[in-house]
Structures are given as structure tokens and as C-alpha cells.
Amino acid sequence: MGQKEEYANSELYRIRHSTAHVMAEAVLERFPDAKIAIGPAIDDGFYYDFDLPRPLVPEDLEAIEKRMRGLIQSKESFVREEITSEAAKALFADQPYKLELIEGLEHGGVDEDGNPTDEAVPMSVYRSGKFVDLCRGPHVENTGKINPQAFKLLNVAGAYWRGDEKRPMLQRIYGTAWESKDQLEAYLWKLEEAKKRDHRKLGKELDLFSTNEEVGAGLVLWHPNGAMIRHLIERFWDDQHMANGYDFVYTPHIGKASLWETSGHLGFYKENMYAPISIEEQDYYLKPMNCPFHLHIYKSQLRSYRDLPLRYAEKGTVYRYERSGVMHGLMRVRGFTQDDAHHFCRPDQMPDEIDFTLEFSINMLRAFGFKDFHAYLSTRPEKSVGDPQMWKDAEAALESSLKRLGVAYDVDAGGGAFYGPKIDLKVRDALDREWQLSTIQFDFNEPDRFDISYIGEDGQEHRPYMVHRALLGSMERFFGVLIEHYGGAFPVWLAPKQAVIIPIADRHVEFAREVAKRSRQAGLRVSVDERADRMNSKIRDAQKEKVPYMLVIGDREMEAGQVALRRRSGESLPPMSVDEFLALAKNEVEKRI
RNA sequence: GCCGGCGUAGCUCAAUGGUAGAGCAACCGCCUUGUAAGCGGUAGGUUAUGGGUUCGAUUCCCAUCGUCGGCUCCA
């Protein structure tokens, strides 16, 4: 959070906030009847929300941007003025959104950034040129401090007034602003890079997955290449779980209404569930979660304290009704497979169990090339179920595990689910973007609802702790993140095709097939490009497919019984024997590079 | 769900109120090739779907589906 404050006090923050004001001034010139809402600085830029007489088009943005440059040239000073609420109301008499903000400030309430404030705040306005805005500041001295070569308006989007979907929809203009032209260009370059790595684009180019209008939105078809990667991920996942004390379970995709009544989902999660399927006068629901089934497996027999901890793992496919506008490639879908598990343990085992789970989670993610983690610890909200002491113990266990493992974390006080505190783990990818993957959540609700217990040393029934956890999150989302992290150039151990063997002329095909056969026997996924094309063209195609190894075979290699290895990096290695190549590949597969 | 945009061949894109065109890919043929595109040919589209306006719609309008940028949501 220190970082946040640092940013809020930086010159860059002032530049961005000031650029937002200049933009609002330009918009008001163009649309004198515009109603202005709020316009803060954000990470990488700024925005301003407007209520306008018509939708903005790209030409508007160009014109506004041009006018902004003019306003910047005139070096208008930003002048701060303290003001009474009466004066403010008079000043903004025809600006209903500002009036609402003023009222909010009068009573405490919500400030410009949407953060609650407890007490009346002194009101201030900032003037620059003809524009005056209710604003806490700070700003740069004058608009000339904004580098006209270092800002850009990016796009227009809808945004609810005050983020409330029951309030009016405004038009939000997003922009970015920097101190220098170079910084702006670096930022725009990063956006371009991100576009190139977009998993939806790469998914098509590398033939990894698709969705289909007729199948339905948010329902993913895994093509052979994507499915191979998923299989390899799952195989690794299975091995790790087997080696770490998990039991595998399988459970159905639907369950009777009564199951979801018991679990409580029909009470608090129904709007995210698919409508029921009715048969023999019973309603069945597609499962949005796996836990009720796992709870029944737990309940299927009497449990002793000696049986615990129990860890039930399942790559469970769930279906959730996501509103139509929220779907996004593989990141947000309606049908997805969670790498789910539920742990049941005694209170005395609980801290160790959390330690184990967090460490296991981090090790799992590390295996896929993620190095930077950031955790969010969410604690008890106002409305919650369960014994407050259990909450405290659980929160303490989560926090001490984070500390022990040295994971950087923020505390989201009161941000937990009503049924228990949790840790969410975010990873940072190759482009410094954060993605939420793992989650470790206590549940103080379902054990009660299903009335699960174990017999303790004392011969009495006790309620176990229950923890939900997903390490990768879901196969879909994890795959999406992985695609973007590697930019489609998967490490050798995950590459759907690890090597393409490229015979230069037809007379080399036979030897190429021999090399392919030996490679397959050694466990590699290879193919021979037997097309009647030039070697150059075959290399080009293999590069585009991002195949890690290209083995070129011509007269020289055939005579010497060797292969010429070209890596997708462009690096060409001196000719080597097939065995040498296989040893090299084996080594890189094992190292997971 | 909401605001706005988009939907033309497998892919990337072009064009028009008078029933659509290119490159790549595919297929066929020639070439037998040395580290990112050899040459020629063939085939491929009810312009997302359903309505409407019009003499005529792929183009204009409406709805639906899908999708993109956001918002809200993601117990």
C-alpha cells in the first residue's frame, strides 16, 4: 500500500489527474451541455466520465485530443480554491453529478475515488482556464507541465455512475499520460505486446481451442494441441497430488435440488446456477461447485480422528451462469474445470494443513514458470457464519503461513466470504500483469449444513475444519494465463509438438522417418514435414507454430547419421548424432525449460 | 445484464442499395530444394440468424445469437 501512497504523491499522478481536467475542458467545449461526473488518475493513466447527448465516435476522440494540445500550449494555471458547500452548489448548479458529490462530501460519504469518508471534508475546486472542477487535487502548476507528446486518449467505454448498475450509464474516456514521449511509447509498445500474446489470438493461430456460436458462449472446445497441453498439465498435477497425500474422487455433473438446498447454494448462489433439469418430478441442477459431492463422500462413513487429514482432489467440471457481458476468452467462461480439492482436518492439524497447502500451491505454480506471487488475505466480513474464535484461528494460520513462506501479501480486511477467510494468490506473468489463480478458503458453513463430524480420542463427535482449494484455479483460466505468459512458445515439456523433422529433399524422407521413430520411442512428440516444399518454408511454418526443435536433414546429415538442430530462438547447433539430440531434449524436458 | 463497436471463404482483410474480391491456408501439378514464404493451376461464400423497408438488401431498420472495449458481477 505504501506504493499506492507514493503514486498518489508523485508528479506523474498530478500529470494524469491534470490531463483528465484538460480533457474535460475540451469535452465541455465540444459538448456544452455535457454533464461531468468524475475523472481520477488511475494506474497508467486517467479517465473522465461524462453524460453526453450522443455516443462518442473515434473522430470525437481525435478532435478532443487535438484541442487538449491547444489547451496545454496556453499554459493555463491550476488554481486551487477552498469553497463552502453553498458556493459549490451554486457553482455546479447545472451539474447534477457534481451536486451529488457535494452532498456526499457534506455528509461524509464517498469521495471522488469512490472511497468512503467518515466526516465532512473541506471542499475545494480547481480552475484551469475556463474549466472548474470540484476536486481535491493535487495538480501540476499549469497545463504546460503536461507533455503534449506524452499523452493519448485510448478508448471510450460505458461506466455506471458511481459504479452502480441501477444508476445512469455514462461514457468514460480512458487516456494515458506520461512524463516523456519515450515513456508513452514504451507503454504503447507494451500494449501492443500484450495484444500479440492475447490468448484468444494465439489460441486461433496455434490451433489450441475455440468456442462456437452453436455450442454456446463460454463453452470451450479444446483442440488437439490445446488438449495435449492440458493433458500434460493434468498428468503433472496428478503425479504431484498422488505424491502429496491426496485421494482422487470423481463426482457427477448434476445433483438433485435437495443437495443444493442442503449446501445452501440454492439460497445464496442460485442466480449463478443454470436452470434446473426436471425429470420424474425431481429438479436437478448442473453443479456450480464440487464441494457438496465431496462432503457426501466424507459422510459416507464414520470418520476417526486417525483418518484426518483427508484430502479429496478432483478436476471437477462445473457450470456457472455468467452474465453475457462478462465472458472473456478462456479467462471467464460458463463451463470450466477446477483443479479442486477439499481438505478435512482436526483443529490441531489446521495450521500445518494450511502451511502444506500454501507451499504446495506455490510449488505447483513455480513448475509452470511463475516466479512472482502476491497474496491477498481476506478476513471476516460483517455478515458471516461460524464461531468467531474459529475465524481468528483460521486467519492466524493463513497469515503465519504467508509469513513463513515469505509471500508478499495484502490484507483485505472484511473481504472474506461469509463462510470463511481465504488467501488468493496472484501470479505475475512475463508482461508484469497479475492474474488470480490459486485460492485457499476455509468453510465454516457447509460442514454444519451437512453435519459432518469425526470421532475424537475422547469418543465424542467433533466437527472438522474444511478447506476448499484450487491451485491452478481452473484449467481454462490457467491455460489462458499460461498461453499469455509464454506468448505461445511453451517450454519443451509442454509443447504439443516438440520437434519437427525437416527433410530437405524427398531422398531424405526415409531417414527422417527413422529419426522420428527413434524420437517417439524416446518419448518425444515429433512429426516429419514431408511436404514438397522448400526447407525454408518448412522452417517458417515450424517457427510460426513455435515448435521448440527443428531437425534439418540433408545429404550431409544422412551420410553422417546426424541431425542439424535449429531452435525456435533461431540458434543453430552444430550437427549431432540422434542420441545426442535425444539426450539434449530429455534434459530440457526434465528441467521443464 | 448495461453502454458502445463489430460479425463477408478455414485465417487475415477488401468492396458495393443492382445477388462479392485478394493474400495466406487447402487441393492438383512442376521443381528436389541447406536454416523464416520456389512456380503455376483448381476449388471454396444463402456476406452470423430471423424479420422488415425497397422494384432490388450483403449494404438501411428491428430482433436474436456470437464477439470486442469497458461497467457491474466473479458467494
Side-chain angles (χ1 to χ4, degrees):
Chain A
M1 312 295 238
Q3 256 179 346
K4 263 189 181 170
E5 279 163 30
E6 210 173 287
Y7 175 50
N9 291 319
S10 68
E11 177 70 6
L12 192 53
Y13 184 93
R14 280 193 268 266
I15 286 172
R16 287 170 178 166
H17 193 172
S18 301
T19 311
H21 276 222
V22 172
M23 179 170 78
E25 184 175 0
V27 169
L28 276 174
E29 270 187 25
R30 193 172 177 82
F31 300 96
D33 296 334
K35 305 300 174 204
I36 57 176
I38 59 167
I42 53 175
D43 288 353
D44 300 332
F46 60 91
Y47 68 79
Y48 212 114
D49 287 348
F50 305 95
D51 197 343
L52 299 172
R54 65 166 172 83
L56 290 167
V57 295
E59 294 73 61
D60 289 319
L61 286 199
E62 281 170 33
I64 291 164
E65 199 174 295
K66 196 171 166 208
R67 179 59 189 141
M68 286 170 69
R69 298 220 157 79
L71 293 170
I72 287 168
Q73 275 202 329
S74 58
K75 297 196 167 118
E76 296 165 343
S77 294
F78 280 94
V79 181
R80 182 189 162 92
E81 220 175 280
E82 297 259 342
I83 190 171
T84 64
S85 63
E86 288 71 33
K89 282 180 190 168
L91 193 55
F92 295 105
D94 60 347
Q95 289 290 348
Y97 301 105
K98 292 296 176 191
L99 289 176
E100 191 176 327
L101 290 174
I102 292 165
E103 303 241 328
L105 291 172
E106 275 180 325
H107 302 109
V110 181
D111 69 11
E112 199 189 34
D113 293 323
N115 299 315
T117 55
D118 296 333
E119 51 198 50
V121 191
M123 259 168 248
S124 59
V125 297
Y126 273 82
R127 290 177 190 279
S128 50
K130 275 175 255 162
F131 181 69
V132 57
D133 198 358
L134 181 73
C135 180
R136 183 181 46 193
H139 282 280
V140 295
E141 289 161 45
N142 63 63
T143 56
K145 299 281 179 187
I146 299 168
N147 183 341
Q149 301 302 315
F151 81 90
K152 184 172 166 58
L153 302 188
L154 297 174
N155 56 345
V156 186
Y160 297 110
W161 168 234
R162 298 220 141 164
D164 182 343
E165 61 181 322
K166 295 186 184 65
R167 310 292 306 266
M169 179 64 77
L170 307 173
Q171 295 190 67
R172 173 172 298 177
I173 305 177
Y174 281 98
T176 187
W178 301 83
E179 291 183 36
S180 70
K181 191 181 175 189
D182 286 353
Q183 286 172 350
L184 172 67
E185 278 170 4
Y187 175 70
L188 295 177
W189 179 84
K190 204 166 146 182
L191 290 186
E192 286 304 309
E193 273 313 290
K195 257 189 217 166
K196 284 185 206 157
R197 284 167 177 259
D198 190 315
H199 71 283
R200 295 166 299 188
K201 181 175 184 294
L202 288 171
K204 210 178 269 179
E205 288 171 2
L206 302 176
D207 195 17
L208 301 174
F209 69 91
S210 66
T211 57
N212 179 284
E213 199 170 328
E214 192 177 13
V215 173
L219 302 171
V220 178
L221 305 176
W222 294 71
H223 296 200
N225 287 339
M228 176 58 77
I229 295 170
R230 174 167 170 176
H231 168 77
L232 296 163
I233 295 169
E234 292 186 351
R235 190 163 77 179
F236 176 76
W237 189 95
D238 285 349
D239 290 346
Q240 292 296 307
H241 281 70
M242 243 188 277
N244 279 281
Y246 280 87
D247 294 317
F248 294 129
V249 298
Y250 293 93
T251 64
H253 288 71
I254 61 174
K256 270 164 54 178
S258 53
L259 176 70
W260 305 106
E261 268 154 25
T262 301
S263 70
H265 289 98
L266 281 179
F268 65 82
Y269 203 69
K270 192 170 184 191
E271 62 282 10
N272 285 296
M273 292 169 68
Y274 272 80
I277 305 160
S278 204
I279 195 143
E280 288 177 346
E281 293 172 37
Q282 291 283 345
D283 281 347
Y284 290 79
Y285 286 86
L286 275 166
K287 66 173 168 185
M289 299 190 190
N290 303 300
C291 30
F293 299 97
H294 292 196
L295 280 152
H296 269 296
I297 294 172
Y298 181 94
K299 254 176 91 96
S300 64
Q301 45 178 283
L302 207 54
R303 303 292 175 183
S304 151
Y305 71 96
R306 296 180 208 274
D307 298 331
L308 303 182
L310 276 174
R311 298 169 183 156
Y312 293 153
E314 175 180 20
K315 295 180 290 288
T317 303
V318 298
Y319 294 89
R320 298 183 184 174
Y321 167 67
E322 299 286 0
R323 296 208 279 175
S324 57
V326 307
M327 257 95 69
H328 180 88
L330 292 175
M331 304 302 194
R332 191 84 179 269
V333 291
R334 284 181 172 161
F336 57 97
T337 302
Q338 296 179 301
D339 69 312
D340 208 359
H342 295 93
H343 297 203
F344 303 92
C345 70
R346 308 188 304 255
D348 63 290
Q349 296 170 320
M350 189 269 284
D352 284 346
E353 195 63 14
I354 296 300
D355 256 11
F356 158 78
T357 309
L358 186 63
E359 187 166 11
F360 188 45
S361 184
I362 284 171
N363 287 339
M364 180 72 68
L365 295 174
R366 283 209 174 110
F368 293 95
F370 297 105
K371 291 181 183 71
D372 282 341
F373 307 95
H374 196 90
Y376 294 83
L377 170 60
S378 302
T379 60
R380 190 173 162 215
E382 278 184 32
K383 246 187 99 185
S384 65
V385 298
D387 172 14
Q389 188 56 46
M390 285 175 84
W391 277 84
K392 270 194 185 155
D393 294 345
E395 287 166 9
L398 291 171
E399 189 152 16
S400 84
S401 293
L402 286 168
K403 282 186 177 145
R404 188 179 72 82
L405 288 166
V407 182
Y409 66 97
D410 287 317
V411 176
D412 181 3
F418 74 89
Y419 52 77
K422 63 171 177 177
I423 292 174
D424 291 322
L425 260 192
K426 295 194 182 185
V427 301
R428 201 176 278 285
D429 77 5
L431 281 177
D432 269 358
R433 294 172 300 181
E434 277 201 342
W435 301 96
Q436 196 206 306
L437 298 174
S438 308
T439 182
I440 302 171
Q441 310 192 352
F442 276 89
D443 192 328
F444 301 138
N445 184 43
E446 287 186 291
D448 282 351
R449 287 181 158 270
F450 283 90
D451 190 24
I452 60 166
S453 61
Y454 65 91
I455 306 300
E457 259 179 303
D458 56 4
Q460 303 296 307
E461 284 192 357
H462 298 273
R463 187 83 77 215
Y465 274 95
M466 173 179 173
V467 173
H468 310 254
R469 50 112 277 202
L471 307 185
L472 310 178
S474 76
M475 299 314 298
E476 284 73 10
R477 168 177 263 247
F478 184 72
F479 188 36
V481 173
L482 205 61
I483 293 168
E484 304 206 357
H485 181 57
Y486 288 121
F490 298 100
V492 183
W493 76 286
L494 287 173
K497 190 188 286 179
Q498 296 168 309
V500 176
I501 300 165
I502 298 175
I504 288 178
D506 287 349
R507 62 180 175 277
H508 310 123
V509 167
E510 201 183 330
F511 180 56
R513 287 182 183 158
E514 178 62 28
V515 172
K517 191 176 165 193
R518 286 178 61 189
S519 301
R520 285 194 195 102
Q521 281 167 349
L524 287 184
R525 299 179 289 281
V526 305
S527 69
V528 181
D529 190 342
E530 297 188 11
R531 293 174 303 170
D533 281 318
R534 296 288 182 282
M535 175 203 64
N536 275 356
S537 138
K538 294 179 184 182
I539 286 180
R540 182 166 191 268
D541 287 346
Q543 285 289 150
K544 280 169 67 179
E545 274 185 73
K546 302 181 196 287
V547 179
Y549 306 131
M550 285 154 256
L551 300 177
V552 177
I553 291 176
D555 289 336
R556 296 197 293 268
E557 288 75 19
M558 204 161 78
E559 275 163 37
Q562 290 181 318
V563 292
L565 170 60
R566 176 198 162 99
R567 294 180 185 275
R568 65 185 159 196
S569 63
E571 181 195 5
S572 285
L573 276 67
M576 61 181 84
S577 72
V578 178
D579 283 333
E580 282 170 323
F581 164 67
L582 293 176
L584 177 152
K586 183 165 183 265
N587 180 256
E588 294 185 355
V589 165
E590 278 168 4
K591 283 188 181 155
R592 289 202 290 273
I593 52 178

